[in-house]
Amino acid sequence: MEKTEGEILQERLFNNKKSGWNKIFEEEKREVFKFADDYMFYLNQSKTEKEIVSNSKEILLKNDFKDLREVQELKAGDRVFWVNRDRSIYIAVIGSDKLENGLKMVGAHGDSPRIDLKQNPLYEQNEVGLLKTHYYGGIKKYQWVTTPLSLHGTVVKTNGERVSISIGEEEKDPVFYITDLPPHLSHSGQDSRKLSEGIEGEELNIVAGTIPFDDEKVSERIKLNILKILNDKYGIKEVDFTSSELEFVPAYKAKSVGFDESLIGGYGQDDKVCCYTSLRAILEVQNPSKTAICILTDKEEIGFCGVTGMESKSFERFIVELLEKNGEIAPGIMEKVYENSEAISADVDAGFDPTFSSYYDPINACRLGHGVCICKYTGSKGKSAASEAPAEYVAEIRGIFDENKVSYCSSELGKVDKGGGGTIAVTFANRGINTIDIGVPVLSMHSPYELTSKFDVYNAYKAYKAFLQQ
Ligand code: MN
Ligand code: MN
């Protein structure tokens, strides 16, 4: 049947917003699923920012990238990385053009919301050994109780010796646990607390053991027994917790979700999904004209701050080293580099959740299966504290995506005055770099088990690769 005038006009003028699963070919679908398997493998190995850095470094070394500190001189096509205190990593493929003519940067963050140990954590109460914690990032605390947790981290002794600890990931390992009241008791108090106070910060105590040390002459025998186990295994004493970074994360593995297996469930997808997709993208960048940079930063979840966060001048140290080794050091060059550079803040956004649809603007929220989401502005309540990409830059990005058949949709985090948030976009923009937020829609963001679409994950990889390869 012939199309009507209205149908033809609609096709030409409307922004056709359909799920990518509608028009996918069998071969591409296989690629999408294979990519998701590789991603889930990486996710299961990389639950903390330090593991993101060490595993990414290993992948880089296998793909002919060299430690920039060990390279004397750079030339076009060289592949290097620079690790900042084992917690963030900056990766570069040197372009044929001068650095002062600008860099192409994609920045993701390897840290995710979690439960950190306090510096004086261990105590014994009513015959249970417990650990005090201070959560990291924006969590809904009630989601983190009664779920198996694994322990990852480092204890550093005064002689500089670093003790790495990982308990709870192997099949034979024990896990850790935070308790909650049974409904039989909570109705008399806890049930009438506000949801945000259902579990309070000081109630996030980790159960660590119940067997007392076999000597009735001493007090705190359970605590003593736990310390003896730790001392036998790791050679540490209670005071060593002072200089430790011990993180509790969900112990379970990432899995395909749904009868059709189209989705991925996993801990820390904010923002490890962008770490993996941008890492894969830079591995495949070949002889770019502009130098391509991939950043896996730390401390995004608590405000981009600290010596390993994106606000840190440590990032400038990396750029200076690139300039030095490329023979381009000159007064005022850093500002020039930034002025000519372009960045993508590669971070997740809140995907539309049909169960909680009233929290979203259904016309502007990003949706699972629609590809990467382009977020022109972040911030909240009148775009406050936003990084907003200039329309000219958004148009350029759209052009790159169209040319490279990247599926994308636009996004906004929640209804006006109801939602909002920030990413490292501001840290690029403040340096004078054109910046835009582009990432993967996530459901149940910041929960112990977040949900993404395999289609979107694959398109994030395609998007970052198309951008970096320019
Ligand atoms: Mn994020
Ligand atoms: Mn986040």
Side-chain angles (χ1 to χ4, degrees):
M1 230 170 46
E2 221 168 90
K3 285 179 182 165
T4 64
E5 192 191 342
E7 283 172 331
I8 292 166
L9 207 55
Q10 223 172 35
E11 234 167 63
R12 195 158 67 83
L13 299 181
F14 274 23
N15 181 8
N16 177 17
K17 294 185 236 171
K18 256 188 175 175
S19 159
W21 293 119
N22 284 304
K23 47 189 178 190
I24 196 164
F25 295 109
E26 203 45 50
E27 194 187 322
E28 192 189 359
K29 192 174 163 195
R30 267 199 302 276
E31 258 173 63
V32 166
F33 274 62
K34 168 73 174 68
F35 190 91
D37 287 344
D38 295 343
Y39 163 52
M40 286 190 276
F41 180 81
Y42 174 87
L43 199 55
N44 287 333
Q45 313 296 314
S46 321
K47 291 196 174 176
T48 65
E49 70 290 350
K50 288 197 202 78
E51 289 167 0
I52 284 283
V53 170
S54 61
N55 290 324
S56 302
K57 186 176 153 185
E58 202 172 299
I59 293 170
L60 289 164
L61 288 169
K62 278 186 196 149
N63 284 273
D64 303 323
F65 281 76
K66 294 195 172 69
D67 190 331
L68 179 58
R69 291 181 172 96
E70 292 162 13
V71 174
Q72 300 307 317
E73 240 175 61
L74 288 170
K75 57 178 186 319
D78 279 354
R79 297 144 75 82
V80 291
F81 62 84
W82 198 89
V83 176
N84 179 10
R85 295 166 176 86
D86 293 335
R87 289 154 181 88
S88 51
I89 184 167
Y90 317 127
I91 308 154
V93 177
I94 307 302
S96 51
D97 205 352
K98 280 182 163 179
L99 298 175
E100 72 167 29
N101 291 331
L103 315 166
K104 298 281 249 182
M105 301 194 260
V106 175
H109 65 93
D111 62 317
S112 303
R114 58 176 195 253
I115 311 279
D116 284 348
L117 269 197
K118 292 195 188 194
Q119 298 329 117
N120 192 18
L122 182 59
Y123 68 108
E124 174 179 338
Q125 198 168 22
N126 304 98
E127 298 181 82
V128 182
L130 293 154
L131 298 163
K132 295 301 295 179
T133 68
H134 194 140
Y135 63 95
Y136 173 95
I139 63 166
K140 295 169 87 169
K141 295 183 264 300
Y142 71 87
Q143 295 178 333
W144 292 73
V145 299
T146 67
T147 194
L149 299 168
S150 58
L151 173 61
H152 298 240
T154 324
V155 181
V156 186
K157 298 188 195 170
T158 49
N159 65 3
E161 186 194 337
R162 291 167 62 149
V163 182
S164 288
I165 300 180
S166 173
I167 306 169
E169 294 297 332
E170 302 299 326
E171 198 56 45
K172 58 173 190 351
D173 282 359
V175 293
F176 298 88
Y177 191 85
I178 301 171
T179 57
D180 193 6
L181 272 175
H184 316 67
L185 292 177
S186 61
H187 64 80
S188 60
Q190 187 198 28
D191 286 0
S192 49
R193 293 186 195 172
K194 274 172 29 188
L195 185 66
S196 58
E197 291 156 11
I199 297 288
E200 294 187 27
E202 292 291 352
E203 291 170 338
L204 291 171
N205 301 319
I206 306 262
V207 174
T210 53
I211 300 178
F213 185 77
D214 189 14
D215 180 350
E216 290 194 19
K217 283 199 176 143
V218 295
S219 61
E220 298 187 283
R221 291 159 61 209
I222 295 169
K223 173 174 165 176
L224 181 61
N225 195 46
I226 291 168
L227 281 171
K228 183 175 184 310
I229 292 168
L230 289 172
N231 189 259
D232 289 348
K233 205 167 170 191
Y234 304 107
I236 56 175
K237 297 187 275 190
E238 187 179 16
V239 71
D240 293 323
F241 281 121
T242 314
S243 48
S244 71
E245 280 172 22
L246 295 167
E247 309 173 7
F248 287 92
V249 295
Y252 30 67
K253 306 282 181 210
K255 293 251 181 193
S256 294
V257 173
F259 289 115
D260 60 10
E261 303 184 25
S262 59
L263 304 159
I264 298 166
Y267 162 70
Q269 298 203 68
D270 174 8
D271 184 34
K272 293 168 172 78
V273 65
C274 296
C275 290
Y276 185 69
T277 47
S278 58
L279 177 69
R280 277 287 297 264
I282 199 156
L283 292 184
E284 293 175 21
V285 169
Q286 295 289 346
N287 306 314
S289 52
K290 302 261 179 187
T291 292
I293 308 267
C294 168
I295 301 157
L296 310 182
T297 184
D298 182 27
K299 298 283 184 282
E300 191 278 344
E301 292 295 354
I302 57 170
F304 343 117
C305 48
V307 75
T308 51
M310 207 43 216
E311 273 182 355
S312 165
K313 284 271 195 281
S314 290
F315 182 66
E316 272 66 27
R317 184 66 201 92
F318 160 69
I319 301 293
V320 164
E321 196 150 340
L322 286 181
L323 287 164
E324 278 172 357
K325 293 182 171 171
N326 214 36
E328 286 189 59
I329 282 291
I333 191 155
M334 191 66 87
E335 287 74 13
K336 223 184 220 177
V337 172
Y338 284 161
E339 184 190 5
N340 294 325
S341 291
E342 293 181 337
I344 288 178
S345 161
D347 208 341
V348 302
D349 204 340
F352 182 83
D353 185 339
T355 300
F356 298 101
S357 56
S358 66
Y359 289 79
Y360 299 82
D361 166 8
I363 303 165
N364 283 284
C366 57
R367 290 176 189 253
L368 293 184
H370 284 235
V372 280
C373 45
I374 297 182
C375 191
K376 186 175 184 295
Y377 50 87
T378 52
S380 59
K381 299 192 175 174
K383 302 189 181 182
S384 186
S387 170
E388 177 153 15
E392 292 83 354
Y393 186 44
V394 185
E396 181 194 320
I397 294 286
R398 277 180 52 210
I400 295 173
F401 289 176
D402 287 344
E403 200 180 312
N404 290 277
K405 299 197 166 49
V406 175
S407 294
Y408 68 87
C409 59
S410 66
S411 72
E412 170 153 322
L413 210 172
K415 276 185 174 164
V416 176
D417 290 343
K418 296 274 189 280
T423 69
I424 61 165
V426 286
T427 68
F428 288 121
N430 290 345
R431 285 174 162 110
I433 303 167
N434 259 342
T435 308
I436 186 163
D437 274 283
I438 294 172
V440 175
V442 174
L443 263 53
S444 310
M445 199 200 294
H446 286 201
S447 75
Y449 212 62
E450 301 170 316
L451 198 64
T452 57
S453 164
K454 291 182 180 177
F455 183 79
D456 305 335
V457 173
Y458 186 70
N459 275 280
Y461 148 72
K462 276 175 70 176
Y464 303 146
K465 190 177 155 187
F467 174 78
L468 292 174
Q469 184 60 65
Q470 292 294 301

